[in-house]
Amino acid sequence: MDSTAASQDSTEDLQWCTGCSMRKPLSLFKKGASTAKTCAGCRGRPSQVKKKPKITSNSTVDDNDPADSLLDLPLVSFSDFIRTIESVQGIHSFAAQVSLKEEQLGNTSRAKADHIASSVWNATGLRFIYHKTYSHRNTPSANVVYHCAQQAKRQHKSTASARDKGQMHTFDCKGWLRITVFDDAKSALVRLQHEDDHILYDGSDVPSNVKDYVEKNFKMSTNALWSEILQSYPNPLFKRRSIASIAADVRRSQWCRDPDELKSARIILEESKAHSLWSICEANLPTVDGYSGIAFSLPDVLQRFGGTVREVSLDSAWNTNGSRYELYALLGEVYGSGCPLGFLLLQSPQKGDAGVKEDYILCFLEHFKTKYALDPLFTLSDKDLSEINAFLKAFPSSKHQLCFWHCLRAVKQRLSILRRPPKFYDVTKTRNEFGDEIDKNFVPVGQVNEADRVDFPMVEQALPRVTVRLQGVLQNTAPPKPRLVIRINGLTRDINPDSENPTVESGYESAEIQDNDEEDGYCQDPDYSALFDFNNTDDEYGPDWMFDESEKPSKDPLYVFCPAPHRKQLLHLFTRHFCQHPLFPERLEEDGWTADQIRRNAVIEMYRFCYQRGLREVWGYMWTSWYSPKMWKLWARSTQANLLSRLRTTMNVENFWKQLKHDNLHHILHPRLDQLVWILINEVVPTYGVRIQELKMTMRLGTSRSLSPFQKSFKKDWNTLSKQKIPSPNKYTTHIHTWTCNCGQQKYNAHCLCKHLVQAVSAPLPIFFQQVIQRRVHPFYRHPMLVPKGHEYGQYTKVEDGSITEGDDQDWTGDVSQLSGGAWREIVSDASLGKRRHSSAFSNEASTRPPSPEYNVPADVELTSDAFSGRSSSPIDYDGSDNEQELEKYVGSAEDMIQNLRRAADLIEAQLPYRNFPWLKALNDGKLGKEAHHFVADIAGFEDSHGVRPTTWASSSSKAAKRVERNTLGYQVQRMNE
C-alpha cells in the first residue's frame, strides 16, 4: 500500500528536465529571456545525451524500482509528511517527495538524511541504522541508505564474551529506508520498504532535552543527575549509565588535549600559565631512558603564603592514576597547616638505575631554591632514601627531620621480625667514639666465629628500667657480673652457665629513681598509643624490600632477633631519645642538656639496655640504623639545638593524600595523567588556597572566626590536660615566661604542653584559642592570658617584636584595641607586612634570605627568642647629620679604649706564668673578659653573615639580643670586600 501526501507546495513552480529526467524548480531553466528544456546542471555538461543516473559504488540493496517514476509525486511539506505517516498504523512502505525549505537540517546531505530518519523513527516506531551513502556522478544529489535495526541479516555476529543479557530479537523484515537528497533543491525523495509488522524497537537513546540538561550540569554526581531526570521521566527507556557516559564525555573535554596523556598534560600546564585561577610554572627535569616525569610549582601560592614558610614536607603516593606515575607533593607549613607548593609526577621502571629517582626529586627541589629562593629551616620526609638524599643536597643548611610516626612504625616492625639478623655492625667505629664503654665482644652472633664468640645470655622476660644519674651523668644501673670463661676444645664457655639473669641493683647514694606514675620515658600521647601495642605482631622473615642484600634470613631455627617482652620498652626508650631537645628541661633539672649530652646519654642508655638483657642483635640494628652519627642527625630533634620545629611528622602530607582521594578522586578509578594534572590545578589548589587564606588572623576581622585545625587540636589537648590530677603539685618547676616544665612529659606533647603548665595559669578566655600561635623558641607560647594564677592579664606584644623564623608568622597579635579608631585599616592592608616581608623564606634577592640554622654563635653566648629572628639588616652609613663635635668625642673615646684594651691584654698575658689563683678567679668573675668576649663574638657573627644581623630591633625583654644590637648596629663589615 502506497501512501502519498495530499497537499502540494505551490510556492514555486516545477518543470521537467529532459536531460536528467527529473522535476526541478523553474528558476533552473531560465536562459536569458527564454526558458530551456534542460536545467542549468545539464546544460553545463559537454554532452546533453539523456542518461540514467549512475551510482559510484555497487549497491547491495535491491534497487530495481526506478526513481524516475517517483519524481512525478507531488511535493509536500515536511510537517504534512510526518503527520500523514503518523496517522497510518502498521505502515510498511511509502514513497514521497518532501519539501525541506522550512527545515533547518544542516549543511550536508548526511545531516539532512539523519534528521529525516530520526523523524520517521519517532513517527512510525521503526528504528533505522545508517548503512551507506551513494553519490551520483551526473546529478548533484546523494542517496543515503538505512536498514532496520531489527533486521536479522544486518546484525553483528555474537562473540565469546557476549553479555549475559544476550541479543535482541531479530526478524527477516527486509526493512530499508532510502533518502535521496538534492544539493541544488530544498527537497528530498523518501522511500521506505518494510515487509514484516514485527514488534517495535524499544529505543534506549537519551532524549535531546535530557542530554542538554546533563551537559549543562556535568559537575553533578551521577546519582544527583539521575534523581533529577527521574522527576521528569519516571519510566525512562534509557539507562543510568548513558547519563554517566554523557557527563563523562563532557568532563573529558575539559582535560583531554591529546591521545598521548603526557603530551596532553604538558598542554594543560601551558594553558594554565595564563588562564587558570592559580598560575603554574613548569619545572625542568632530567631526561633518562625508561623514566618519565612532569613537575610544576605554584607561583601565586608562593607569592601569597611563601613568606611564612619555614618548614616543608615531601611525600609520595601511589595509585592516584592509571599510568603508574608516582605523585610527590611538596607542602609548606603555613599557620600550622599544610599548603601545597608544587607537585612532581614520576614514572620509573620497576628495576631502575640507582640514584635516578633521587636526581629527579633533586631537580624538583632545586627549582624552588633557584626560582623562589626557598631556604627552609626544617625539611621533613619519611624513610625514603631518595627523598632524604635529595633534601640534604638541595638544602644542606636545613635540619632534616624524619617523620616521628614513620620512625616509630619502622622500629616496631623491625623488632617484630624474628629470623632476620641485622646488617654489619662496625664495633670499632662505635668504640672510637665511646671508648671502653662499648664492649668489643657485644656484636651480633653472625659477625663472629663460634670459637671466638662470647656468650651473652638473652633475658626472656622484661626487666624494670631504672635510670640513675650522678651529677647529670648516666650511671650503669645493672653492671654485668664478672664472667669467668674457659676454652674447651677451642670453644669459649662460661664457667657458670646456669647463673641467674642479671638483676637490677642501685646502691648509689643520692641517686634519683624515676617513679612509675610520671615516667618521662613513656609517651602518653593518645595519637601514638596504637604503635605501642605489640599484640599479634610477630613476623618470621618480613618483606624483602625492607632489608639489604646482606640481611639474609637466619638458618638457625632457634634464632630470635628480639624477644617480645622487651619490644615495648625499646620503643618507649627510642621515643624518649627522639623527643629530647635542649629547649626542654630534663626531668627534675632546671635546664636542658646540650645536643652533645643528649646524644651521648641516648647512645649509652640504649646500649646498656640491650647489654643488660643480652640483646646483641637489637643493639647492632639500633646502632647501624639509628644511633650512628650519620643516622642520628636525620631523626633526633636535638640536632637543631636552637629551634624546635612545629612539625614532627609528615601527617600534613598524609592528610593531603586523604583529602585528594576522598574529595577529588573518589569517583574516578585510575584517572589518566592529564586528568590528574587538571584536577590538581583546577580543583585541589584553589580549594587549599581558600583554606590557607582563612587561617590568617586578619581574615574576616569584622565577624567571628572558627578555629584553625592546629587551634582545634591545641584546645583539645589543653582541655584534656586541665582535667588531669597532679599527685605532687610542688614536685616540678614550671616557668611560664619560657613555657617549660621539668616534669619530662612536655617533650612528648605535639603542642609542647603538660598538665603542670596548663594548670599553672589562669583559665584563658575563649578568644585565647583563636589567637594562640606555637613558636619555635622560648617561650613556646606568648599571650597576655598566659600568666600565673592570681595575676592580671598582660599586654599584647607588637608584631615587630617577633619574627617569622621564631614562629610569629601572624600579621596581628590579637589586640582588640587596634580594631577601632581607624587602626584596623593598616592591619588588613598589605602595607602592614612591610617590616616582616624581608624575613620571608621566599625572596628575589639572596641578601634578604634568613640566616641558616647553623648560624655560628659561641656556646657561651646567651641565646634568646630574638637570637634567631631571621630579620636582615644592611650596614648603616653615617650621613653627617649628627653633631660633629659629639662625633669627635666618641672617636677620641674609642682611641683611648683601644690603648687601654691593648695595655690590659699585655698585663693579663704577663701574669699568666705566675698562675695566681685568686687574681685569675677575680678576673674570670669580673665583667671585663665577658664584655670583651661578647663583643668579639657578636662582631665575628656579624662579619660571617656579611652584615646580616639576627634581628634589626631587639625585643625589650631580651638582654642578649639588645647586646647584639648595641655591638653591631652601624658596624661596617670588613670582609665584604675581601
Side-chain angles (χ1 to χ4, degrees):
M1 171 181 175
D2 292 340
S3 299
T4 59
S7 60
Q8 181 175 353
D9 189 356
S10 59
T11 58
E12 184 174 2
D13 295 334
L14 299 178
Q15 180 176 323
W16 182 264
C17 175
T18 59
C20 58
S21 301
M22 298 180 65
R23 190 181 300 274
K24 294 186 177 181
L26 185 60
S27 59
L28 298 178
F29 296 88
K30 295 295 184 181
K31 185 178 181 182
S34 61
T35 301
K37 293 183 179 181
T38 57
C39 65
C42 294
R43 293 197 304 272
R45 296 198 301 267
S47 176
Q48 294 187 10
V49 179
K50 184 177 181 180
K51 295 181 180 180
K52 200 169 184 177
K54 295 182 179 180
I55 299 177
T56 58
S57 59
N58 296 327
S59 173
T60 60
V61 183
D62 185 10
D63 198 14
N64 295 325
D65 295 335
D68 297 351
S69 60
L70 301 176
L71 293 174
D72 293 333
L73 293 175
L75 192 67
V76 299
S77 65
F78 188 78
S79 57
D80 290 342
F81 165 69
I82 296 299
R83 191 163 45 249
T84 301
I85 61 177
E86 278 181 338
S87 62
V88 180
Q89 185 176 3
I91 190 171
H92 58 80
S93 63
F94 63 76
Q97 190 164 196
V98 182
S99 172
L100 306 179
K101 187 176 181 180
E102 299 177 355
E103 300 297 321
Q104 302 295 329
L105 306 180
N107 298 325
T108 64
S109 300
R110 172 66 189 279
K112 296 176 182 178
D114 285 347
H115 180 78
I116 297 174
S118 177
S119 301
V120 171
W121 177 22
N122 294 331
T124 63
L126 297 174
R127 175 73 164 102
F128 289 94
I129 298 177
Y130 173 76
H131 174 63
K132 200 170 186 180
T133 299
Y134 303 86
S135 299
H136 290 75
R137 291 180 180 176
N138 302 327
T139 60
S141 63
N143 188 20
V144 187
V145 183
Y146 302 82
H147 68 81
C148 177
Q150 297 167 274
Q151 187 179 153
K153 293 183 179 181
R154 307 303 305 174
Q155 301 302 313
H156 296 290
K157 294 182 180 180
S158 60
T159 60
S161 59
R163 291 170 290 186
D164 294 338
K165 70 175 185 178
Q167 293 183 333
M168 66 179 179
H169 299 291
T170 59
F171 309 92
D172 188 16
C173 60
K174 298 180 181 179
W176 293 93
L177 176 67
R178 303 176 182 86
I179 303 174
T180 303
V181 181
F182 304 104
D183 296 342
D184 53 357
K186 294 184 178 180
S187 62
L189 182 62
V190 184
R191 293 168 290 167
L192 179 138
Q193 176 187 351
H194 199 274
E195 297 182 358
D196 186 5
D197 186 13
H198 56 68
I199 189 171
L200 299 178
Y201 174 79
D202 291 330
S204 60
D205 291 8
V206 179
S208 58
N209 60 331
V210 175
K211 185 176 181 180
D212 293 340
Y213 175 80
V214 175
E215 290 176 347
K216 293 179 180 178
N217 300 275
F218 66 92
K219 293 184 179 180
M220 295 173 58
S221 66
T222 304
N223 290 334
L225 286 171
W226 187 246
S227 299
E228 290 295 327
I229 292 171
L230 291 180
Q231 300 297 324
S232 302
Y233 292 84
N235 300 303
L237 297 177
F238 50 88
K239 302 288 179 62
R240 182 178 181 273
R241 66 170 174 265
S242 300
I243 302 301
S245 178
I246 295 173
D249 290 341
V250 180
R251 297 190 192 103
R252 181 182 178 86
S253 64
Q254 290 184 304
W255 48 263
C256 185
R257 302 292 188 272
D258 191 88
D260 185 344
E261 56 184 339
L262 181 59
K263 181 179 179 181
S264 178
R266 296 191 187 280
I267 296 175
I268 292 175
L269 290 182
E270 193 66 29
E271 295 175 351
S272 302
K273 291 180 181 179
H275 302 293
S276 64
L277 182 62
W278 298 78
S279 61
I280 302 301
C281 180
E282 187 173 0
N284 295 324
L285 297 177
T287 303
V288 181
D289 293 340
Y291 291 80
S292 176
I294 186 172
F296 58 94
S297 59
L298 309 172
D300 287 348
V301 175
L302 296 170
Q303 180 67 25
R304 294 192 187 186
F305 311 116
T308 62
V309 172
R310 293 294 183 272
E311 304 174 26
V312 295
S313 306
L314 180 69
D315 195 16
S316 63
W318 286 97
N319 297 325
T320 58
N321 57 90
S323 303
R324 294 183 58 82
Y325 276 84
E326 192 173 1
L327 175 60
Y328 291 83
L330 182 68
L331 269 66
E333 185 272 328
V334 179
Y335 309 131
S337 298
C339 177
L341 306 179
F343 301 96
L344 165 66
L345 291 113
L346 180 61
Q347 185 186 59
S348 57
Q350 292 184 353
K351 294 183 179 180
D353 297 334
V356 177
K357 183 183 292 187
E358 177 186 326
D359 293 340
Y360 273 88
I361 301 175
L362 178 60
C363 288
F364 174 62
L365 296 176
E366 287 184 338
H367 168 77
F368 293 88
K369 182 176 181 179
T370 57
K371 188 172 182 62
Y372 307 104
L374 171 62
D375 188 12
L377 299 172
F378 298 92
T379 59
L380 291 92
S381 71
D382 55 19
K383 287 203 68 180
D384 188 298
L385 291 179
S386 299
E387 299 175 9
I388 296 173
N389 293 332
F391 263 135
L392 294 177
K393 292 179 180 179
F395 308 110
S397 62
S398 302
K399 155 65 179 168
H400 187 74
Q401 179 67 63
L402 293 182
C403 172
F404 183 32
W405 187 87
H406 283 93
C407 288
L408 292 182
R409 187 183 66 168
V411 173
K412 176 183 177 180
Q413 188 174 6
R414 184 63 182 93
L415 294 178
S416 302
I417 298 175
L418 302 178
R419 311 298 180 198
R420 290 269 192 174
K423 52 186 166 184
F424 181 77
Y425 161 56
D426 192 343
V427 67
T428 303
K429 291 184 178 180
T430 312
R431 287 172 57 83
N432 288 341
E433 183 177 358
F434 294 95
D436 292 336
E437 292 186 84
I438 305 297
D439 191 333
K440 65 179 180 180
N441 297 312
F442 193 67
V443 297
V445 293
Q447 293 185 203
V448 293
N449 297 324
E450 187 175 357
D452 300 330
R453 187 182 304 162
V454 177
D455 185 29
F456 292 90
M458 183 182 294
V459 180
E460 298 295 338
Q461 296 180 350
L463 298 179
R465 184 166 63 87
V466 180
T467 302
V468 177
R469 297 190 183 95
L470 290 177
Q471 298 179 350
V473 179
L474 183 67
Q475 303 297 318
N476 191 349
T477 58
K481 296 179 179 179
R483 182 179 291 108
L484 300 179
V485 297
I486 186 172
R487 294 182 70 86
I488 302 177
N489 296 329
L491 300 179
T492 302
R493 297 183 180 276
D494 197 326
I495 291 180
N496 185 18
D498 298 327
S499 60
E500 296 181 358
N501 291 331
T503 57
V504 178
E505 303 176 0
S506 61
Y508 298 98
E509 188 176 354
S510 73
E512 177 262 312
I513 301 179
Q514 296 171 353
D515 58 89
N516 294 328
D517 180 46
E518 298 183 54
E519 167 67 67
D520 78 324
Y522 289 86
C523 177
Q524 300 177 5
D525 194 332
D527 293 338
Y528 301 94
S529 58
L531 287 173
F532 295 98
D533 182 9
F534 278 88
N535 294 330
N536 302 323
T537 59
D538 281 355
D539 191 353
E540 285 291 322
Y541 301 107
D544 291 335
W545 58 264
M546 284 185 58
F547 304 96
D548 295 341
E549 295 182 359
S550 60
E551 298 177 273
K552 302 293 184 182
S554 175
K555 297 180 180 180
D556 184 0
L558 301 179
Y559 178 87
V560 176
F561 178 76
C562 178
H566 303 304
R567 296 172 190 168
K568 189 172 183 178
Q569 286 182 309
L570 281 166
L571 194 59
H572 277 294
L573 189 60
F574 176 86
T575 302
R576 179 172 180 267
H577 299 159
F578 185 102
C579 296
Q580 280 182 301
H581 196 277
L583 295 180
F584 292 121
E586 286 301 309
R587 188 170 185 271
L588 297 178
E589 297 183 20
E590 287 298 320
D591 301 317
W593 291 347
T594 65
D596 292 337
Q597 285 179 307
I598 291 176
R599 167 164 164 72
R600 182 171 185 83
N601 277 272
V603 172
I604 296 302
E605 191 171 17
M606 178 59 71
Y607 169 77
R608 289 177 179 170
F609 181 94
C610 297
Y611 187 80
Q612 293 162 8
R613 293 157 178 80
L615 304 177
R616 55 202 302 168
E617 310 293 316
V618 176
W619 167 243
Y621 160 71
M622 285 293 181
W623 173 262
T624 56
S625 298
W626 300 102
Y627 286 84
S628 63
K630 178 181 178 181
M631 302 304 298
W632 172 266
K633 65 181 182 180
L634 296 179
W635 62 275
R637 302 186 82 187
S638 58
T639 55
Q640 170 54 288
N642 305 310
L643 297 170
L644 183 70
S645 64
R646 287 175 172 174
L647 303 177
R648 59 178 184 176
T649 70
T650 57
M651 289 300 110
N652 57 345
V653 194
E654 300 294 341
N655 185 56
F656 174 81
W657 299 137
K658 177 181 177 181
Q659 296 186 29
L660 173 66
K661 294 179 179 180
H662 286 228
D663 297 345
N664 304 100
L665 302 179
H666 66 281
H667 60 290
I668 307 174
L669 180 62
H670 302 316
R672 283 187 14 145
L673 174 65
D674 47 358
Q675 184 179 10
L676 177 60
V677 170
W678 189 90
I679 290 174
L680 290 173
I681 295 174
N682 295 279
E683 294 183 6
V684 176
V685 174
T687 300
Y688 267 82
V690 174
R691 290 177 182 174
I692 299 300
Q693 189 72 18
E694 291 177 348
L695 296 180
K696 296 180 64 175
M697 289 182 62
T698 56
M699 190 72 174
R700 299 178 181 175
L701 282 176
T703 184
S704 60
R705 297 178 64 253
S706 59
L707 298 180
S708 67
F710 161 76
Q711 292 167 345
K712 290 179 181 178
S713 177
F714 176 88
K715 183 178 181 180
K716 179 181 178 181
D717 258 5
W718 183 283
N719 292 337
T720 300
L721 294 171
S722 65
K723 299 175 184 178
Q724 293 183 358
K725 295 182 179 180
I726 301 179
S728 305
N730 300 323
K731 184 175 181 179
Y732 304 108
T733 304
T734 58
H735 297 282
I736 306 301
H737 65 283
T738 59
W739 197 256
T740 55
C741 176
N742 63 353
C743 66
Q745 276 293 320
Q746 185 184 11
K747 59 178 171 287
Y748 298 117
N749 189 275
H751 305 111
C752 302
L753 299 176
C754 75
K755 60 184 178 182
H756 308 96
L757 285 169
V758 170
Q759 299 182 35
V761 299
S762 302
L765 299 177
I767 196 174
F768 163 74
F769 298 105
Q770 296 180 346
Q771 301 171 352
V772 65
I773 301 171
Q774 183 174 340
R775 307 176 77 242
R776 300 184 182 94
V777 294
H778 290 157
F780 296 124
Y781 296 98
R782 181 169 59 183
H783 194 274
M785 297 182 187
L786 294 180
V787 293
K789 287 184 176 180
H791 290 66
E792 296 183 356
Y793 290 153
Q795 299 293 326
Y796 283 93
T797 58
K798 297 180 180 180
V799 172
E800 52 268 22
D801 287 342
S803 73
I804 295 175
T805 298
E806 292 177 345
D808 303 299
D809 49 7
Q810 291 286 6
D811 305 320
W812 179 57
T813 59
D815 188 358
V816 182
S817 64
Q818 298 178 349
L819 302 183
S820 60
W824 62 272
R825 299 183 185 277
E826 183 180 357
I827 295 176
V828 300
S829 66
D830 291 340
S832 64
L833 305 180
K835 294 183 178 181
R836 301 171 59 81
R837 278 186 172 170
H838 65 273
S839 62
S840 167
F842 298 89
S843 173
N844 294 327
E845 298 181 6
S847 61
T848 62
R849 295 168 62 184
S852 71
E854 296 184 5
Y855 181 83
N856 187 19
V857 180
D860 55 350
V861 176
E862 181 185 359
L863 295 177
T864 63
S865 303
D866 296 276
F868 290 88
S869 64
R871 298 181 181 276
S872 61
S873 174
S874 301
I876 301 177
D877 295 328
Y878 173 68
D879 58 4
S881 59
D882 292 335
N883 189 288
E884 191 69 27
Q885 184 177 1
E886 188 175 6
L887 176 61
E888 290 297 332
K889 171 185 174 183
Y890 294 150
V891 171
S893 177
E895 291 175 347
D896 293 340
M897 189 181 303
I898 293 172
Q899 298 298 325
N900 292 331
L901 290 175
R902 287 175 178 169
R903 179 58 179 163
D906 294 339
L907 293 174
I908 296 173
E909 187 176 8
Q911 289 294 318
L912 289 180
Y914 298 103
R915 303 181 64 83
N916 192 319
F917 180 83
W919 189 84
L920 290 175
K921 183 178 184 303
L923 180 65
N924 181 74
D925 295 340
K927 294 183 178 181
L928 174 62
K930 291 183 178 179
E931 289 293 338
H933 177 79
H934 289 330
F935 178 81
V936 173
D938 293 342
I939 295 299
F942 193 61
E943 289 275 5
D944 291 341
S945 63
H946 300 290
V948 178
R949 269 200 330 278
T951 180
T952 303
W953 304 110
S955 171
S956 57
S957 60
S958 173
K959 294 181 179 179
K962 277 188 167 295
R963 187 201 68 238
V964 175
E965 173 193 332
R966 180 176 64 251
N967 291 336
T968 60
L969 187 61
Y971 176 83
Q972 303 300 301
V973 177
Q974 303 300 313
R975 301 180 190 175
M976 294 281 284
N977 300 324
E978 294 180 2

